[in-house]
Amino acid sequence: MRDKKIKLIYFSTHGSEVKSVNLTWKRILSIMFSSFVVMLLLVGSSIAIFSDAYHNVRIASLSKTNQILNGQLQLLNNKVAEIETQMQAVERSDDAMRIKNGLPRLDEDLRRVGIGGAGEENPELNALPPDLQGQTKLISVAVAELARRLQLHQENIAEVSAKMRDDSVMYKHIPSIRPVLDRDGYVTDKFGLRIDPFIERAKHHNGIDISAEPGTEVYAPAAGRVEKAENIYTPWVGYGKHVIIDHGNGYKTLYGHLSQIRVRTGQQIDRGHVIGLVGETGRATGPHLHYEVSLKGKQLNPERNMLEGQFIN
């Protein structure tokens, strides 16, 4: 078997020359093995070339994606900084609003409660490049801080709104308008020391006198409960027909020398309610309204509790 040979005969189609080659099996196997090795090398080289090309394309794509992500993160970072500036303006407004409504300014430490630290770990961030991980974590912390401060702002709005509602109820019960319209009457005697027209010497006047035509309507300057509606009087003595209203919070008002009373004792009334008509009952020299304001028993100057302008409901 070893001595057997294979004879290959080949000739040219353009000539008559015939050639032959004698090959042993060992030679044939050697040629086949060499061809196989060459083929493997060619295939391996091709795979390596294509693999390198693929990786280069992949790296270029990832690099481009990385650049885009960096750009987007920078835009987000700028937006967070912009929102931070706006949030600071909102917090300044919060402080101003609290001060105007008699509430203490929020402590800066309170605004920072729950802010800081590494925060909750997100395993997905570990797949990002280190620089992107750092930027993403910083933005996450900033967003968490803004969310906390926004929540505090909402709580502050609720607190201030509640205070304003309470104050609105309180203001509703504070005497603050003229009991007689500007067009219907004018102040003839002010609060304080004056010459008493009956005894003709100086005496403290506990209220003001508003001169007006008889029958002019008298309005309640604030909401409250009618403490007294006195129709019985002695001519030329005291306030004559008069009304006392308890507005709560220590405020009381008195309306004297009325010709007619249109409320009753114990009645709840609102600001602007007609409580009676101007007259000259009791100790009076002519038709006018004697008007007093007191706070916890101390007489106040009524003109300091009257808003400018006409009647306000």
Side-chain angles (χ1 to χ4, degrees), residues 249-267:
N249 300 308
Y251 279 99
K252 289 187 179 183
T253 51
L254 180 147
Y255 313 82
H257 312 305
L258 301 174
S259 63
Q260 186 180 130
I261 294 176
R262 292 189 175 178
V263 291
R264 64 184 183 280
T265 301
Q267 181 179 348

Side-chain angles (χ1 to χ4, degrees), residues 139-156:
I139 292 175
S140 298
V141 170
V143 169
E145 176 181 347
L146 288 172
R148 164 61 185 158
R149 288 160 68 183
L150 179 59
Q151 178 186 353
L152 190 62
H153 166 67
Q154 292 171 336
E155 293 171 357
N156 176 64

Side-chain angles (χ1 to χ4, degrees), residues 191-240:
F191 176 84
L193 199 63
R194 65 156 187 174
I195 301 298
D196 188 299
F198 286 92
I199 60 177
E200 296 184 348
R201 66 170 182 264
K203 186 179 179 181
H204 190 274
H205 193 213
N206 289 334
I208 60 173
D209 291 339
I210 302 175
S211 179
E213 291 294 324
T216 300
E217 291 181 329
V218 177
Y219 301 96
R225 182 184 64 85
V226 178
E227 182 179 284
K228 185 178 182 182
E230 184 59 72
N231 275 294
I232 300 174
Y233 71 98
T234 301
W236 304 103
V237 176
Y239 296 120

